[in-house]
Amino acid sequence: QVQLVESGGGSVQAGGSLTLSCAASGHSYGYPYGSYWLSWLRQAPGKEREEVASIDAAGGVRYIVDTVKGRFTISRDNAKKMLYLQMNSLKPEDTGMYYCAADPMGRTKPVSSFAYRGQGIQVTVSS
């Protein structure tokens, strides 16, 4: 089993920045961390969960939702088993619970079906 733990959330004023981190532990037999497809998702109050950004095993960014393009950056450090989301120029509409997710077969399935997901961390952006 793989466990994912998010950190770095909190409250910030509009225009500010936060960096979310996601630490992985454990393992899935036959699939080293470096082979995982990783994603960040978020869920705003009263809205459905949405995919924010995804990165493939080689570090290639595969998806960035239009509403955060140019403001958010996804990255990973396989040696440290870490996933990051650098969030700049934050807006009140970025408020929500942020989750990291991982799957060794992420290339072939929607993020909503990923095998592993963290408990989430709150990000609140005030105007």
Side-chain angles (χ1 to χ4, degrees):
Q1 287 292 324
V2 174
Q3 293 79 43
L4 303 174
V5 179
E6 301 93 343
S7 62
S11 297
V12 64
Q13 289 190 328
S17 298
L18 286 172
T19 299
L20 301 184
S21 299
C22 175
S25 60
H27 68 279
S28 178
Y29 183 76
Y31 295 103
Y33 178 82
S35 70
Y36 281 50
W37 195 288
L38 305 173
S39 295
W40 287 101
L41 304 90
R42 69 182 178 186
Q43 187 165 19
K47 295 187 177 181
E48 293 189 356
R49 193 172 295 170
E50 67 169 346
E51 179 182 1
V52 176
S54 291
I55 189 168
D56 64 22
V61 179
R62 291 293 185 161
Y63 179 80
I64 297 281
V65 68
D66 286 345
T67 53
V68 308
K69 282 182 179 177
R71 301 188 296 120
F72 290 14
T73 302
I74 186 172
S75 62
R76 65 189 293 167
D77 185 331
N78 288 340
K80 296 181 179 179
K81 295 187 178 180
M82 295 292 295
L83 173 69
Y84 305 101
L85 186 68
Q86 174 67 44
M87 306 186 293
N88 298 326
S89 302
L90 282 160
K91 303 176 180 180
E93 50 264 43
D94 295 319
T95 294
M97 285 292 288
Y98 283 71
Y99 304 84
C100 59
D103 197 300
M105 305 301 291
R107 183 185 181 91
T108 62
K109 60 176 66 172
V111 174
S112 57
S113 298
F114 275 21
Y116 307 106
R117 185 185 301 160
Q119 292 298 306
I121 194 161
Q122 180 68 35
V123 171
T124 302
V125 184
S126 57
S127 58

